[in-house]
Amino acid sequence: MSTGTPYSTPEELLGALYSTSSTLPGPFQELNESFLLSSAYLVFFMHCGFAMLSIGCVRAKFAKHIAILILVDATTSALGFYLFGFAFAYGDDASADGLNPAGNAFIGKNFFAMDNMAPTAYYSWVFQWTFAATACTIVSGAIAERTRFEAYILYSLFMSSWVYPVLIHSIWSSSGWASAFRKGTDINELVGGGYLLFGSGAIDFAGSGAVHMVGGYAAFAGAWVLGPRIGRFLPDGTSVDMAGHNTSLFVLGVMILWFGWYGFNPGSQLAIVTPIGSTYSIASAVSNAAVTTSLAPAAAGLTGLFVTAILLKIKTGKHHWDIMAMGNSTLAGLVAITAGCSTVYPWAAVAIGIVSGFIYPLASRLMVLIRIDDPLDAIAVHAFNGTWGVWAVGLFGAKNLINTSYGYNPYTTGDRHYGCFMGGGGNLLAAQLVYSIWLGAWVLTNMFAFFYVLKLLGYFRVNAADEAAGLDASHHGGSAYPLDLDDDASHKGSSYNGNQSGYNKNELDSIRSELASLRQSVGKNRSADNVVSDHVQNGTRAEAMPGGNMV
């Protein structure tokens, strides 16, 4: 068979290619780079999913507002990560032998604005930036419908330039103090008797912690400081449902996100071709990640559906099959499996997903109980299940899968530590717990301070009149929907398909009883009072709460 080359057989061609390098020759390295770039494109496409999901979950009069926040994350995070983020995350010093004994365990210091960065490494920048943009986007849903657009630009820049990069340096850099990739010569430096944390290092393969806990904890800080939407919680403690306006967009968003996750998780192996002389197959690690990324959300989605039905039956004596709960539980399973997708067996992925199916509906109800208003349930999905995903690796991480994905322990040249449920002892679990505590402390400290400064400056929240009118009309030039669709049946009804104005008419009578105290709380703002009165006279819900948190 002719190969069109000086070599008579494919085997001779392959041998010639490998003879140029002891690891990966040029063409094979380029195949790995192509794999990583293709994965990056899938991760970036997840923003389409975030947009559909978010628009579907907010009321119609806020559709433009949430859509522009998604665009802000894509644009602002790119510039922030370019100027500062990549340098803080991966700008390590490297010695000639490939070790990093001089690398800072907390933060990088090279490649600001990609200065002195080799063009052959640009593909890595693209992949890493898409993860930074994803971490930023998670927050938008938790502070939707009442956040100033300008404040969100500042947030996205702060997150992509500082908060996220420092965190991922600790876990994904070869100098990071918690990283399983950490390199050096002092084997007695860190706690536990080894250069790796507890002799293991923490494993967060694709970012249950580094991406989803970061976004989820930041979302919690933002929602706490910002306060609930006007009318979300009544003075007597009653929570008022403010359902999204388009379930179809929500489901489309869930499916797009799941599709993009096949770039997020398998792509995090960073390669697809196994170097010559390797004991394990890199492609098998990639395949394992794809399988677990399929099974965990499947188990979580079904579990969450049934758990929600049971909880509703207990509370009301009735039940229905809640598509929103199923969709968010599916996402919860994806979040949870992200940390261990390449290092747990398929059966363990099912177990992890089942636990997520319980965590999401319970966490969602907990947020309502403590009066945290999160229109998209971003905190319940990402913060709680991201934490569970990080811990789950310490329980279910399998020895051979960890060795395949991470390689042998570089200091003992033996097996790495693995999950305690798999007979591996507690070292890996201890590293996972310390890493998750550090992550929570870092994110909450930075984001509470940042959001509180915005609040003190009066720059975080829109005024009551603009919020009641809807930010599409008051801030973004008008409704997202053509006027000739205002009376269309597709924009009417209850449940998750509210009317065009975004109100639930079933709540009108109970809200009218609060009108007197409402007028008193916004009496200083005559325009807000007019807006609310007009809405009530037109048979729609008044959206304000006496004593509400207005910045």
Side-chain angles (χ1 to χ4, degrees):
M1 180 181 68
S2 173
T3 63
T5 72
Y7 308 102
S8 59
T9 67
E11 289 74 17
E12 288 184 10
L13 174 60
L14 186 63
L17 287 171
Y18 271 125
S19 68
T20 64
S21 170
S22 60
T23 55
L24 289 180
F28 284 78
Q29 175 61 25
E30 289 173 356
L31 182 59
N32 283 336
E33 292 174 6
S34 297
F35 168 72
L36 199 63
L37 284 173
S38 298
S39 298
Y41 305 150
L42 281 174
V43 176
F44 185 71
F45 185 64
M46 292 173 74
H47 285 270
C48 298
F50 278 120
M52 297 298 96
L53 180 86
S54 301
I55 292 170
C57 285
V58 300
R59 291 169 290 173
K61 60 182 180 177
F62 297 97
K64 275 187 177 179
H65 173 68
I66 193 67
I68 200 170
L69 299 189
I70 305 297
L71 283 172
V72 164
D73 284 317
T75 54
T76 307
S77 69
L79 296 177
F81 202 66
Y82 164 71
L83 293 172
F84 305 105
F86 188 86
F88 288 148
Y90 296 107
D92 298 317
D93 290 326
S95 57
D97 60 4
L99 300 177
N100 290 276
N104 189 302
F106 178 72
I107 195 170
K109 64 177 184 178
N110 300 305
F111 311 131
F112 291 101
M114 300 174 76
D115 184 43
N116 293 323
M117 184 176 176
T120 53
Y122 284 2
Y123 73 97
S124 179
W125 183 94
V126 174
F127 184 75
Q128 299 299 339
W129 159 63
T130 60
F131 278 60
T134 301
C136 292
T137 296
I138 293 168
V139 176
S140 62
I143 58 177
E145 301 195 6
R146 71 268 201 209
T147 303
R148 289 187 60 171
F149 170 72
E150 303 89 342
Y152 195 81
I153 294 176
L154 295 177
Y155 148 74
S156 190
L157 183 64
F158 183 61
M159 173 67 86
S160 60
S161 300
W162 173 250
V163 178
Y164 172 79
V166 171
L167 190 282
I168 64 169
H169 179 86
S170 71
I171 187 66
W172 287 338
S173 164
S174 58
S175 295
W177 65 268
S179 176
F181 304 113
R182 185 171 172 82
K183 297 177 181 178
T185 56
D186 181 1
I187 63 172
N188 295 303
E189 179 178 310
L190 292 180
V191 63
Y195 200 70
L196 297 171
L197 181 63
F198 292 104
S200 168
I203 290 178
D204 188 6
F205 182 77
S208 289
V211 176
H212 298 284
M213 282 180 69
V214 169
Y217 282 41
F220 178 81
W224 181 287
V225 174
L226 187 62
R229 290 167 290 176
I230 296 173
R232 179 66 174 94
F233 300 106
L234 300 182
D236 63 1
T238 303
S239 63
V240 177
D241 183 32
M242 293 181 171
H245 78 285
N246 196 315
T247 307
S248 300
L249 287 180
F250 167 80
V251 175
L252 178 61
V254 170
M255 298 309 296
I256 291 174
L257 286 170
W258 192 346
F259 176 70
W261 236 286
Y262 289 110
F264 207 95
N265 284 1
S268 290
Q269 188 62 49
L270 308 183
I272 190 68
V273 178
T274 305
I276 252 183
S278 178
T279 306
Y280 293 102
S281 166
I282 288 179
S284 69
V286 173
S287 299
N288 192 83
V291 170
T292 56
T293 302
S294 303
L295 293 176
L302 288 172
T303 302
L305 176 68
F306 283 102
V307 169
T308 300
I310 292 170
L311 292 174
L312 185 62
K313 179 72 172 179
I314 293 172
K315 181 178 180 180
T316 67
K318 302 177 181 179
H319 82 271
H320 65 260
W321 302 113
D322 191 337
I323 191 171
M324 305 293 281
M326 186 178 189
N328 278 330
S329 296
T330 300
L331 294 177
L334 285 164
V335 168
I337 198 58
T338 298
C341 57
S342 71
T343 61
V344 302
Y345 288 119
W347 66 263
V350 173
I352 291 169
I354 290 172
V355 174
S356 291
F358 281 90
I359 290 175
Y360 163 70
L362 295 176
S364 177
R365 284 157 176 76
L366 175 62
M367 291 299 100
V368 174
L369 182 65
I370 63 175
R371 299 169 69 92
I372 296 294
D373 184 16
D374 180 359
L376 265 71
D377 266 345
I379 301 166
V381 170
H382 297 276
F384 282 85
N385 286 281
T387 303
W388 159 237
V390 170
W391 294 353
V393 178
L395 302 175
F396 295 104
K399 177 175 67 175
N400 66 318
L401 296 180
I402 292 175
N403 289 335
T404 298
S405 187
Y406 282 79
Y408 288 114
N409 187 306
Y411 306 106
T412 67
T413 68
D415 295 326
R416 288 181 178 266
H417 289 285
Y418 51 101
C420 60
F421 284 1
M422 310 300 289
N427 291 59
L428 177 58
L429 180 59
Q432 301 299 105
L433 292 173
V434 169
Y435 164 61
S436 64
I437 292 170
W438 140 251
L439 189 155
W442 172 254
V443 175
L444 291 176
T445 299
N446 277 274
M447 296 315 305
F448 266 121
F450 178 80
F451 286 133
Y452 194 69
V453 169
L454 287 180
K455 180 178 179 177
L456 288 178
L457 295 174
Y459 208 67
F460 196 12
R461 184 166 184 154
V462 300
N463 64 52
D466 289 349
E467 184 177 344
L471 297 186
D472 287 2
S474 59
H475 283 231
H476 302 292
S479 171
Y481 299 99
L483 294 177
D484 61 350
L485 292 180
D486 281 353
D487 296 324
D488 189 90
S490 65
H491 294 287
K492 294 182 178 181
S494 59
S495 185
Y496 295 107
N497 290 295
N499 58 28
Q500 168 66 12
S501 63
Y503 299 116
N504 185 338
K505 290 182 172 56
N506 293 332
E507 300 160 2
L508 178 60
D509 291 338
S510 63
I511 301 299
R512 277 175 170 163
S513 66
E514 303 295 328
L515 183 57
S517 56
L518 164 68
R519 283 176 170 161
Q520 182 180 358
S521 69
V522 297
K524 294 182 181 180
N525 189 331
R526 182 62 183 168
S527 62
D529 192 39
N530 291 340
V531 169
V532 173
S533 298
D534 290 344
H535 283 315
V536 173
Q537 292 168 9
N538 290 331
T540 55
R541 184 178 68 204
E543 288 193 320
M545 182 182 74
N549 184 4
M550 301 179 189
V551 178

